[in-house]
Amino acid sequence: MPENLSTLKINTVFAGFLIVASFIIGSLWTKVQYLEKGASQPALAADNPSADVPAPIVAPGDNGEPVKVSIDDDPVLGDKNAKVTLIDFSDYECPFCKRHFDEVYPQLKKDYIDTGKVKMVFRDLPLSFHQNAPKEAEAAECARKQGGDQMYYKYHDQIFTKTTSNGTGLALDQLPVIAKDLGLNIGQFQQCLDSGEFKAEVDKDLADAAKVGASGTPTFFIGKSTSNGEIDGIKVVGAQPYSAFKTIIDEKLK
Amino acid sequence: MDKSIFSSRLLLPTVIISSLYLLITILLMNRSLTVDTLFGTYSLDYKGQIIISLISGMWTSMTDMGLFLLVIASVLTGLNISLLVDRLNKLKKLAKLHLVVGGSSILGIVGSGCAACGLPILALLGLSGSAAYLPLRGMELSYFSVLILLFSFYFLVKTDTRQSCTINVNK
């Protein structure tokens, strides 16, 4: 019996040691990753003082009820009078957002947005551990300031095409280069970017995301369009396949 | 070690439990959509298509490592539960099942299940965002689950149910 007890104790200590060791190795690994990329300690989304709405204990919409989500004053792609609205809370440096952009977005655009059935609204949810994402979001807004919603989406497409989406997948010095390629006024663009003119806009999207229970990226809300821009949206989380979007949109179009 | 644990008798329940675990986990990641789909007034065709889409979405909405860990955790959960039920049945047949044995086994089932839940449990509680506070963005829970399940599996395999006492020849 004492022998069994001592074996049990050794096993328990060993298990505890493995758990603690796993956690420490994980922490060190992350630290090394960030140091290699020249970034400081990753900040958490909740640390952002402008995201003043605390993450809810039970996220809205997680009981299956549609969530009221506004398109706010964010850029619209497609017919403004389209029957269905798709709101995309996204992050330019999130690999799953890029996967959605590469694999699903072109088909969605061709079948539903370009045909006037669906309008897409891109809202920013730059996670703070994706170092370059907030500035990229601001840059897209600066492009919109000069060329409207159409220019916003041209810029949006360029970011997603060029970034490797790993937090610093697109060097910040490439942002004016994209602007130049798209024919924007570089002086105005740079001034807009440097002054942080659209930081508050990006932060508002972050706060709104927390309110509607979008805690990760990409998070989509799909619902019938309304005159005030607020939809009762079904929440879809993650880089889901085209078939998931098609099924929901077709149902909403009935 | 009890060799019977490798019998094909345990294969079917293991496969069924593992598949169910995997399915539930995948659907919990999109809990809102799943609840809306299952309980909403939609056609069966719509419900089927959404569920199939979400299942196929596990290839696109998870990292390779995340998916690998989830599959491992599912298989280990299936194995653990099958083995525990099998062990309970054996003890019952041998009239050795007392309250304590049954109680600890049930705790074992619950324990192994919970340890394996990781992110899905967080998602169920609406706390998936809290995973962002962890250095590996919640992946720790998957590693932890697999570790605990491996321990659980090891001790289940190691335990012997033979009705005999062993003699320690070294003493």
Side-chain angles (χ1 to χ4, degrees), chain A residues 3 7 11 14-15 18-19 22-23 26-27 29-30 34 42-44 46-47 56-67 96 99 103 129 215 234-241 243-244 247-248 251-252 254, chain B residues 29-33 35-36 41-43 45-46 49-50 52-64 123-129 132-137 140 143-144 147-148 151 154-155 158 168 171:
Chain A
E3 196 181 325
T7 313
N11 285 334
F14 183 61
L18 276 178
I19 293 162
S22 308
F23 190 82
S27 305
W29 183 83
T30 312
Y34 273 92
L44 294 163
D47 288 342
I57 290 170
V58 176
D62 277 353
N63 55 3
E65 295 288 314
V67 188
F96 295 106
R99 186 177 282 176
E103 298 172 12
F129 49 88
S215 56
I234 290 180
K235 186 162 92 170
V236 182
V237 181
Q240 298 301 331
S243 58
T247 308
I248 297 168
E251 182 69 23
K252 294 288 173 197
K254 279 181 187 169
Chain B
M29 288 176 186
N30 252 294
R31 194 177 71 166
S32 170
L33 180 58
V35 172
D36 177 69
T41 52
Y42 301 110
S43 66
D45 183 45
Y46 174 87
Q49 281 185 40
I50 290 290
I52 289 168
S53 295
L54 288 179
I55 293 168
S56 60
M58 73 178 165
W59 302 105
T60 53
S61 60
M62 295 177 78
T63 60
D64 291 345
L124 195 66
L125 297 171
L127 296 171
S128 49
Y133 287 89
L134 297 169
L136 295 179
R137 316 282 169 230
E140 293 86 349
Y143 287 117
F144 180 71
L147 199 70
I148 295 293
F151 268 102
Y154 170 72
F155 285 115
K158 200 181 158 198
N168 190 341
K171 281 194 175 176

Side-chain angles (χ1 to χ4, degrees), chain B residues 2 4-21 73-91 105 108-110 112-113 149 152-153 156-157 161:
Chain B
D2 186 359
S4 66
I5 60 150
F6 299 113
S7 69
S8 56
R9 182 169 45 91
L10 289 176
L11 188 66
L12 187 65
T14 301
V15 169
I16 292 172
I17 294 165
S18 301
S19 306
L20 270 175
Y21 178 87
S74 304
V75 172
L76 284 172
T77 303
L79 270 172
N80 271 287
I81 295 174
S82 303
L83 277 170
L84 273 166
V85 172
D86 186 62
R87 188 60 38 88
L88 281 173
N89 285 336
K90 275 185 182 170
L91 289 168
S105 297
I109 293 169
V110 174
S112 64
L149 284 166
S152 171
F153 179 62
L156 270 169
V157 171
T161 52

Side-chain angles (χ1 to χ4, degrees), chain A residues 116-133:
Chain A
K117 295 172 184 170
V118 172
K119 65 177 171 188
M120 188 183 108
V121 179
F122 190 92
R123 300 200 64 183
D124 296 304
L125 179 48
L127 304 175
S128 53
F129 49 88
H130 290 152
Q131 197 195 2
N132 290 0

Side-chain angles (χ1 to χ4, degrees), chain A residues 13 19 22-23 35 45 49 51 61 70 73 75 86 104 113 118 130 170 181 190-191 210 228:
Chain A
V13 170
I19 293 162
S22 308
F23 190 82
L35 286 171
S70 170
D73 56 353
L86 185 154
V104 177
I113 298 170
V118 172
H130 290 152
L170 180 70
D181 291 347
Q190 196 64 58
Q191 199 273 330
N228 65 1

Side-chain angles (χ1 to χ4, degrees), chain A residues 173-224:
Chain A
D173 59 10
Q174 289 300 302
L175 297 175
V177 177
I178 296 173
K180 191 183 171 195
D181 291 347
L182 293 174
L184 297 173
N185 180 314
I186 294 301
Q188 286 176 18
F189 178 86
Q190 196 64 58
Q191 199 273 330
C192 168
L193 201 57
D194 293 344
S195 66
E197 188 178 337
F198 288 102
K199 188 181 179 301
E201 166 64 34
V202 173
D203 288 345
K204 183 177 185 302
D205 278 6
L206 264 172
D208 285 353
K211 276 183 201 165
V212 297
S215 56
T217 53
T219 298
F220 306 89
F221 293 91
I222 306 169
K224 286 187 177 171

